[in-house]
Amino acid sequence: MAELMKAAIFVEPGRIVLGEKPVPDVGPLDALMKITTTTICGTDVHILKGEYPVEKGLTVGHEPVGRIEKLGSAVYGFTEGQRVIAGAITPSGTSTASLCGFHAQCGGQEGHGWKAIGGWRFGNTIDGAQAEYLLVPDAMANLAPIPDGLSDEQVLMCPDIMSTGFGGAESGKIRIGDTVAVFAQGPIGLFATAGAYMMGATTIIGVESIPARMAMSRQMGATHVVDFSKVDPVDEIMKITDGRGVDVAIEALGLQSTFEGALRVLRPGGTLSSLGVYSGDLTIPCDAFSAGLGDNHIVTTLCPGGKERMRRLMATVASGRIDTKALVTHRFPLDSIVDAYELFANQRGGVLKVAITT
C-alpha cells in the first residue's frame, strides 16, 4: 500500500481542501522534496476563484523550500537530506526554449520545445508544493542548495515573488538614474520596487492605498508612494515628474485600470513592464498609446526559474542587501491551510505573505 501524504487539493472553484494523496514515485530525472516551508501566491487565489483553470484534484502551490528526500537514479551533484529550493518555474534545461534562455516558456524536450507559460508546472500542470512532499522534475536543472546560515523564511520568496518582481524590473531594462513607477505594492510589486532600487533607479514611485504596504514600499526603496484612494495616480505621477513621465512603469496587479495607468505615465520611448495575470481582455487606449507612434515598449514577464536563477536570488539575500523575511506576516501549519487561504484571499489582518510549515 502506497504511503500517503497531506496535500492542499483543488476540488472546484471556491474550494481548496486539505486531503491525502500518495507520496509520488521518483523517476530517473526527478527528486522528491520533503517540504518544510511553503506559501500561498496570488495566482493560487486566481485558481481558487476559478479565474485560472486547472484540473480538479490538483495539488496547488509553486513555492517550495525543504530538503531532498530521495534522488532519481540519473541525478548527481546533490545529496539526500540536503536543504534546497526549486523555482516556481521548472524548465527541462534541454528544450530549445530553455537553451534560448526562455525557461518559463519551456514546453519540454519533444518537438520544437516552445509552449507559452509551459515552464510553470507546479500547481498548474503537475502537483504542487502545498503538501508534505513534492516531486521535482528535471531535478538537475531546478534544485538549488540553500546557503548555510539562511532560514526557510529568508529564502521563501526566491522561488516566485522575488524572481518575478525582480524580473519585471529587469525586463524594463532600468538604468542608473531612471524614474520608475510601480502600480500596486502587493508582494510582487514590492519586489519590483526593490528590483528597481537595486538596478539604479533614483526616483521610484509606488502606487498603493493600504498603509502597511505603503510603509513596506518605502522600506523596499520607493522614494514616493501615491495613495490611489485619495488622488488620481496618473495625475500625481505626472506632477512628481514635472510632466515628463516615467522611464519605466511596472504593472504588478493585472487589472485594466493599473495597466492603463502604467501606460499613461510613460514618457515617449518608455517601457511598460507587465507582471499582471489578466483574466479578461485588455484594451489599449489610442491616446495613451500615442496612436502607436510613441516609440513605447510593452513587455511581459513570467517568473524566471531554474537553479542558477535561484542561486543568484539566494546570494542576494545572503548579502544582506534585501530583507525578504519582512514580508512574512502570518504563519500557519499545513493542517490549517484552509484558514490561511481564507486570510490571504480576503487580505485580512494586514497580510503580505503567509508561511506554511509541515
Side-chain angles (χ1 to χ4, degrees):
M1 185 175 179
E3 182 183 356
L4 297 179
M5 66 177 185
K6 297 175 183 177
I9 300 168
F10 174 73
V11 177
E12 60 188 359
R15 192 171 172 223
I16 288 175
V17 303
L18 185 68
E20 288 189 332
K21 283 189 168 183
V23 174
D25 293 328
V26 180
L29 299 176
D30 304 331
L32 184 67
M33 276 182 70
K34 173 67 177 74
I35 299 297
T36 52
T37 308
T38 186
T39 185
I40 299 172
C41 178
T43 307
D44 299 326
V45 176
H46 283 298
I47 291 171
L48 172 64
K49 294 180 177 179
E51 296 168 348
Y52 184 89
V54 299
E55 292 290 330
K56 294 178 180 179
L58 187 78
T59 301
V60 288
H62 49 263
E63 296 156 282
V65 180
R67 57 177 173 78
I68 298 171
E69 183 76 10
K70 186 177 180 181
L71 292 169
S73 59
V75 179
Y76 59 90
F78 300 92
T79 59
E80 292 179 357
Q82 188 174 17
R83 293 180 66 227
V84 291
I85 66 170
I89 301 301
T90 53
S92 68
T94 54
S95 73
T96 53
S98 284
L99 294 172
C100 286
F102 290 90
H103 299 308
Q105 316 304 331
C106 170
Q109 301 172 19
E110 302 299 323
H112 53 72
W114 294 91
K115 182 181 179 182
I117 67 174
W120 173 28
R121 294 190 271 183
F122 292 145
N124 183 23
T125 57
I126 64 175
D127 280 340
Q130 292 168 19
E132 292 182 287
Y133 293 94
L134 172 71
L135 188 70
V136 179
D138 299 300
M140 291 183 63
N142 292 296
L143 290 180
I146 299 172
D148 292 341
L150 292 185
S151 69
D152 280 15
E153 289 190 6
Q154 284 180 288
V155 301
L156 181 58
M157 308 304 155
C158 297
D160 184 4
I161 65 166
M162 185 180 180
S163 188
T164 300
F166 278 18
E170 291 164 312
S171 293
K173 297 183 178 178
I174 292 169
R175 298 185 298 176
I176 292 170
D178 269 354
T179 296
V180 177
V182 184
F183 280 74
Q185 294 293 279
I188 285 176
L190 287 168
F191 276 107
T193 296
Y197 175 78
M198 294 182 70
M199 292 182 70
T202 49
T203 300
I204 304 170
I205 307 163
V207 179
E208 184 53 69
S209 67
I210 299 172
R213 295 186 176 195
M214 295 174 73
M216 184 62 72
S217 179
R218 293 185 179 92
Q219 185 174 327
M220 287 293 201
T223 56
H224 304 72
V225 184
V226 173
D227 186 343
F228 68 84
S229 70
K230 296 180 179 178
V231 296
D232 182 290
V234 173
D235 290 345
E236 192 66 17
I237 290 169
M238 295 308 287
K239 288 178 185 176
I240 292 169
T241 61
D242 294 324
R244 175 184 181 274
V246 302
D247 300 292
V248 179
I250 302 174
E251 197 289 303
L253 188 58
L255 298 178
Q256 172 69 33
S257 59
T258 47
F259 181 89
E260 185 172 331
L263 186 60
R264 289 189 179 280
V265 300
L266 280 182
R267 64 159 171 80
T271 297
L272 192 165
S273 179
S274 171
L275 294 173
V277 178
Y278 304 98
S279 56
D281 292 337
L282 281 175
T283 299
I284 298 178
C286 190
D287 63 326
F289 198 46
S290 303
L293 302 175
D295 286 330
N296 294 122
H297 302 263
I298 297 175
V299 60
T300 65
T301 301
L302 176 59
C303 172
K307 67 180 181 183
E308 173 59 10
R309 177 68 170 185
M310 297 301 105
R311 184 198 66 80
R312 288 174 176 271
L313 295 177
M314 288 190 289
T316 303
V317 174
S319 75
R321 296 183 67 189
I322 187 169
D323 179 12
T324 57
K325 190 177 177 181
L327 272 75
V328 178
T329 55
H330 295 74
R331 295 162 180 84
F332 294 83
L334 181 62
D335 286 343
S336 299
I337 196 165
V338 173
D339 295 332
Y341 264 99
E342 196 279 333
L343 176 90
F344 187 77
N346 293 289
Q347 292 296 292
R348 303 189 195 282
V351 65
L352 283 172
K353 290 290 281 186
V354 300
I356 308 295
T357 53
T358 62

